Amino acid sequence: MTILFEGKSFELLPDETLLEGIERQGSSVPWFCRQGICQACVLQARSGTVPAAAQKGLKESSRRQGFLLSCVCRPTADLEVERCDASRRFLSRVEQVEPLSEQVLRVLVTVPEGFVYEAGQYVQLERLADGLMRPYSLASVPGSAALEMHVARLPGGAMSGWLPGAVGQSVGIRGPFGECSYVGAELDRPLLLAGTGTGLAPLLGVVRAALAAGHRGPIRLYHGSLTRAGLYLWAELTRLVERAEGLEVVGSVISLDLLPAPEVPAPELPARESAGRCAISNTALDQLVLAAPIDWGKQRVYLCGHPDLVRKLQKKVYLAGASLDRIHADPFVAPGNAAR
Amino acid sequence: MTDHSLYDRLGGEAAVDAAVDVFYRKVLADDRISHYFEDVDMSRQRAKQKAFLTFAFGGPNRYPGAPDIRAAHARMKLKEADFDAVMEHLGATLAELKVPPALIQEAAGIALSVKNDVLNR
């Protein structure tokens, strides 16, 4: 069996695991249990056939992306693998930048040739002139004409300040990354998606993919913000609900008193009684989600956005009975003083 | 002899799979120690709990040896009370799964055998 790893190819000895072969070549991969349990030694296949035994215990989305446990991987055919953080740079071009609100830009870039992704994943967007990179989740679905990103405009934000003037310019795209993707094989599964700020983008990608796939299970989408203006895509979401019977959208705004918007219900009204399948509540997002009248054991759950909220909800939803294999968490961790 | 190992008597990998969520939920819900188990990557953290349970169940031999266990826990600066809390949840998990007390004792004995390594002393 020939293995290609980090540009070097070598032959695997009979009975040798992928990890052992890599170590024999003088490279190292972090490991702990060496029996396919702890997942420390995970690598990603770029081409070739991954033995099923090397993917046991991994999430379905990880398996589809070719992730494997090198310590129990005994290939039966040639295999090209790389570390998970490595990824090539695709060339793309900024096509359109439009404000969705005062705080959020919708950025469309061309889909690079050969770029394959799943709805809900994220990419690193790179400014070619100086290599400035920021992670942005994709709200578009595979097959869309462009990659759609929702970019938070930050005071002094290097990328968000540059993008409005960058239409027509080339940019780099690295990735895709992340496990916040739609699982197409279970059309009846109830889905719950909750995000704050531009954490809505990957959730929208997943919802769009689900609707395109003809998803039959109920879909509950929660968008949280401090202010009404922060629900930057509310009008578009309400239109989406009109076209999709199984979809319910709940907005959570903590400071309702700032809101002149007509569709905002009286503060004390529970969300679901106020406006059919589309309502804004002034209950905090985590409380709204945890109070959802659903069987957590059956749900597939997507959590994106503010890291504290994502982590808190991830834990609480798991304690409420959701299976960890069906919780997709994507905390938007800010690099330095910037954020997506 | 292998037919009668603790691991086999407990039910092997299926028993570990049944126990891991019960156990992980218990430690996560325990304010005394939950911070040690909170992780951005909960699946990975859960996998660690599975490795631990496999070990405590007397599972397949290639679990890391004592030096690795020591190294993995050294930075955490764990106290005796933390260890005891985990033992408590291990026992409660097995009891909840209707494991006979004698087997719970055996599993606890295996976990106790690495106590000094875990506590780095």
Side-chain angles (χ1 to χ4, degrees):
Chain A
M1 250 42 75
T2 305
I3 303 298
L4 184 60
F5 177 64
E6 298 192 319
K8 278 192 297 190
S9 83
F10 63 92
E11 291 297 315
L12 215 53
L13 300 177
D15 258 13
E16 198 175 45
T17 65
L18 179 59
L19 178 61
E20 287 162 350
I22 287 171
E23 289 173 338
R24 184 166 51 79
Q25 294 302 305
S27 299
S28 73
V29 170
W31 56 269
F32 183 66
C33 81
R34 290 183 92 96
Q35 56 176 320
I37 294 174
C38 78
Q39 303 183 9
C41 66
V42 75
L43 295 175
Q44 189 173 15
R46 279 293 153 196
S47 64
T49 309
V50 181
Q55 297 190 308
K56 196 162 174 287
L58 295 179
K59 280 189 182 183
E60 151 135 21
S61 52
S62 302
R63 292 202 295 269
R64 279 202 314 273
Q65 291 169 55
F67 289 100
L68 57 88
L69 303 172
S70 58
C71 71
V72 290
C73 182
R74 297 173 190 279
T76 51
D78 294 351
L79 198 58
E80 178 183 354
V81 290
E82 57 182 36
R83 296 177 197 277
C84 307
D85 52 355
S87 84
R88 63 185 265 215
R89 183 177 77 188
F90 293 88
L91 275 184
S92 171
R93 196 181 63 252
V94 181
E95 286 206 314
Q96 191 188 321
V97 178
E98 72 168 311
L100 291 169
S101 73
E102 280 190 18
Q103 289 121 21
V104 179
L105 302 169
R106 183 184 338 242
V107 176
L108 301 180
V109 306
T110 56
V111 185
E113 203 180 314
F115 180 78
V116 178
Y117 72 104
E118 293 186 55
Q121 288 195 289
Y122 69 95
V123 297
Q124 293 281 353
L125 181 69
E126 181 179 355
R127 182 164 71 189
L128 296 179
D130 59 359
L132 176 77
M133 273 202 269
R134 292 287 182 268
Y136 296 111
S137 287
L138 299 173
S140 49
V141 294
S144 305
L147 301 180
E148 174 179 341
M149 305 166 194
H150 298 174
V151 175
R153 309 170 86 165
L154 301 167
M159 188 66 89
S160 61
W162 174 75
L163 278 167
V167 175
Q169 297 211 28
S170 292
V171 286
I173 296 282
R174 289 177 195 269
F177 308 100
E179 301 208 328
C180 232
S181 50
Y182 177 63
V183 177
E186 36 171 54
L187 295 176
D188 294 307
R189 171 86 56 198
L191 308 181
L192 184 146
L193 311 94
T196 59
T198 51
L200 177 64
L203 303 182
L204 181 62
V206 170
V207 169
R208 283 171 166 168
L211 296 179
H215 196 85
R216 294 186 293 259
I219 305 173
R220 307 171 74 96
L221 173 62
Y222 293 78
H223 189 204
S225 177
L226 294 178
T227 65
R228 175 62 181 79
L231 301 185
Y232 61 89
L233 214 61
W234 189 251
E236 194 167 318
L237 291 180
T238 55
R239 285 197 298 275
L240 197 60
V241 166
E242 283 164 22
R243 299 201 310 268
E245 226 169 81
L247 177 64
E248 191 173 327
V249 177
V250 182
S252 160
V253 173
I254 295 171
S255 50
L256 266 194
D257 47 348
L258 299 175
L259 320 175
E263 70 262 53
V264 175
E268 298 311 316
L269 280 179
R272 287 176 326 107
E273 287 173 26
S274 51
R277 294 182 288 116
C278 221
I280 297 180
S281 159
N282 70 330
T283 306
L285 183 67
D286 55 329
Q287 290 170 30
L288 269 184
V289 168
L290 290 167
I294 54 176
D295 178 352
W296 286 104
K298 296 200 172 95
Q299 294 288 312
R300 187 172 287 282
V301 182
Y302 297 85
L303 306 168
C304 301
H306 196 285
D308 293 347
L309 185 94
V310 167
R311 284 169 195 150
K312 183 172 168 189
L313 265 180
Q314 184 185 23
K315 175 179 161 181
K316 295 209 162 170
V317 158
Y318 174 62
L319 290 177
S323 161
L324 260 198
D325 296 336
R326 290 197 289 268
I327 303 176
H328 305 251
D330 187 1
F332 283 14
V333 182
N337 58 355
R340 310 186 202 180
Chain B
M1 190 59 199
T2 42
D3 286 353
H4 304 293
S5 73
L6 175 63
Y7 189 66
D8 290 333
R9 280 177 287 148
L10 282 169
E13 191 176 357
V16 175
D17 285 338
V20 66
D21 280 319
V22 177
F23 176 74
Y24 188 26
R25 286 194 176 106
K26 283 187 193 299
V27 295
L28 265 184
D30 184 342
D31 291 340
R32 296 173 295 174
I33 52 170
S34 61
H35 55 286
Y36 295 120
F37 296 91
E38 282 167 357
D39 193 323
V40 183
D41 190 342
M42 284 182 69
S43 296
R44 200 156 177 140
Q45 184 59 238
R46 180 182 178 277
K48 286 184 190 167
Q49 306 321 313
K50 186 173 174 184
F52 164 64
L53 290 177
T54 304
F55 168 73
F57 282 26
N61 283 330
R62 295 194 60 189
Y63 190 81
D68 298 313
I69 292 175
R70 182 173 283 272
H73 293 87
R75 277 185 304 119
M76 300 170 71
K77 300 201 182 350
L78 297 167
K79 298 184 295 290
E80 179 123 17
D82 301 324
F83 189 90
D84 293 345
V86 169
M87 291 298 293
E88 198 181 303
H89 294 304
L90 174 65
T93 297
L94 294 176
E96 199 173 312
L97 296 171
K98 309 259 189 290
V99 172
L103 297 192
I104 297 180
Q105 282 304 317
E106 274 190 67
I110 295 175
L112 278 169
S113 72
V114 292
K115 181 171 179 175
N116 286 339
D117 296 302
V118 169
L119 296 181
N120 199 27
R121 63 189 187 192

